[in-house]
Amino acid sequence: MTTHITLSPGEAADRLAIRELIEAYAHCADRRDAKGQMSLFTVDTHFVVFMNAKDPEPMWELHARDALAPIFADLNKYDATTHFVGQSTILSLTHDRAVGEAYCLAHHITVADGKRRLMIASLRYLDTFVKQDGGWLFAERRLYVDWTEERVIS
């Protein structure tokens, strides 16, 4: 954890912009705005999904913004989702590059045979951010699923 004795207005603005980027990702996911979600990434982004955080082999590894479309479209199989973004930590920050970690509880509702089911996933993201044209983007996003829980809901 970084200790801040003083925080320049520029650094404070960068930290806020990165937090807003993380939150925009969750917002776009819940609104099924795949194009908006994709716009949060660099053109040559690296996106890696580990469906089991303990497994060193990823389920998906993508190397371009355009390649993200099927991953984000996969959310359409759910009747509704809600992503609660928890703590996010900036581990390092320069004027145009940052590294951080964010936690999220993702709630996914499906309806089948008249029954509603809830799947909750505990997610961690290890992120590399870059500042391009005055705005922050994901250059790399590694998604780790730490655990999931499923249950029938009323």
Side-chain angles (χ1 to χ4, degrees):
M1 186 68 77
T2 304
T3 303
H4 300 284
I5 298 171
T6 60
L7 193 63
S8 73
E11 182 179 349
D14 285 338
R15 288 177 177 276
L16 177 59
I18 290 169
R19 176 62 188 204
E20 289 174 342
L21 175 68
I22 293 165
E23 291 170 352
Y25 177 90
H27 176 85
C28 288
D30 290 337
R31 300 301 178 277
R32 304 302 184 272
D33 180 3
K35 287 184 181 180
Q37 205 170 9
M38 290 167 59
S39 75
L40 305 173
F41 291 81
T42 59
V43 172
D44 62 344
T45 197
H46 185 216
F47 189 84
V48 188
V49 178
F50 296 86
M51 291 305 288
N52 176 351
K54 294 177 183 175
D55 187 348
E57 292 298 316
M59 177 170 263
W60 294 294
E61 185 166 2
L62 307 165
H63 295 279
R65 178 192 293 160
D66 291 340
L68 300 175
I71 297 295
F72 298 153
D74 191 53
L75 287 173
N76 291 321
K77 69 184 176 188
Y78 298 107
D79 197 51
T81 61
T82 302
H83 291 75
F84 287 108
V85 178
Q87 69 270 26
S88 61
T89 304
I90 303 298
L91 303 169
S92 67
L93 175 66
T94 66
H95 71 284
D96 66 351
R97 193 165 184 82
V99 174
E101 180 178 41
Y103 284 70
C104 177
L105 286 178
H107 299 72
H108 303 83
I109 294 177
T110 55
V111 179
D113 300 324
K115 293 183 182 177
R116 291 171 26 116
R117 297 193 58 78
L118 171 65
M119 188 273 285
I120 302 171
S122 176
L123 309 176
R124 277 183 303 117
Y125 296 94
L126 299 180
D127 297 315
T128 301
F129 311 97
V130 295
K131 193 174 194 178
Q132 293 181 349
D133 300 321
W136 288 93
L137 298 170
F138 294 105
E140 178 176 72
R141 183 150 243 216
R142 292 178 170 267
L143 185 164
Y144 293 88
V145 179
D146 284 324
W147 57 263
T148 62
E149 175 187 348
E150 293 192 38
R151 59 182 172 231
V152 175
I153 58 175
S154 58

